[in-house]
Amino acid sequence: MIEFRLNARSGVPPYLQIVQQVKHALRLGMLETGDQLPTVKSVVGQVSLNANTVLKAYRDLEREGLVESRQGIGTFVLRRPPGPSTETQAALRRGLDRWLQEAIAAGLDVESIEALFRGGIYSALSQGAA
């Protein structure tokens, strides 16, 4: 089962952090179709949020067709977000892990790695748009 971790300093609203974490877990295969999300009550206790904040996140996921709330039972995963298969994602993750190890071995710190990564993303996106 997924455990939510919220960052109060991120500038991202808590409900959106929950939505993003569920989507990431679905993309990475950590959550599968049919899995149950934590109850609103357990999330409230885990991350000290208002129940309405958790409900808003779950409603957003439901509007996107990713989860389904079943009255009195809980919220369940219906499908993954569109995108590559979990196998493709796993292969890409292994490549990224190798790259990160090379960057660390070369002496890069977290900020330098993030700058390179973000620069690569923007470069790749701009080339793909051309």
Side-chain angles (χ1 to χ4, degrees), residues 84-106:
S85 70
T86 53
E87 293 80 14
T88 299
Q89 297 241 3
L92 292 169
R93 177 63 187 251
R94 287 188 298 274
L96 178 58
D97 287 344
R98 283 190 299 275
W99 180 85
L100 286 169
Q101 291 304 318
E102 289 177 27
I104 291 166

Side-chain angles (χ1 to χ4, degrees), residues 104-127:
I104 291 166
L108 274 69
D109 62 8
V110 172
E111 289 178 359
S112 298
I113 291 171
E114 185 177 351
L116 274 175
F117 186 77
R118 288 186 185 278
I121 290 172
Y122 298 131
S123 175
L125 290 174
S126 66
Q127 290 174 9

Side-chain angles (χ1 to χ4, degrees), residues 15-35:
Y15 85 93
L16 196 51
Q17 291 183 50
I18 291 172
V19 169
Q20 291 170 344
Q21 289 177 37
V22 169
K23 288 180 179 180
H24 290 311
L26 288 167
R27 285 187 179 102
L28 296 175
M30 296 164 58
L31 281 175
E32 300 285 342
T33 301
D35 285 350

Side-chain angles (χ1 to χ4, degrees), residues 16-89:
L16 196 51
Q17 291 183 50
I18 291 172
V19 169
Q20 291 170 344
Q21 289 177 37
V22 169
K23 288 180 179 180
H24 290 311
L26 288 167
R27 285 187 179 102
L28 296 175
M30 296 164 58
L31 281 175
E32 300 285 342
T33 301
D35 285 350
Q36 184 174 3
L37 294 182
T39 64
V40 171
K41 183 178 180 178
S42 70
V43 176
V44 166
Q46 178 187 11
V47 292
S48 301
L49 280 179
N50 182 295
N52 289 329
T53 302
V54 180
L55 286 168
K56 182 176 182 178
Y58 282 14
R59 279 194 305 269
D60 278 9
L61 291 163
E62 194 164 11
R63 266 193 296 277
E64 291 186 45
L66 300 177
V67 301
E68 172 186 56
S69 290
R70 299 180 191 157
Q71 188 67 32
I73 300 174
T75 303
F76 296 84
V77 174
L78 289 178
R79 67 176 181 82
R80 293 179 64 245
S85 70
T86 53
E87 293 80 14
T88 299
Q89 297 241 3

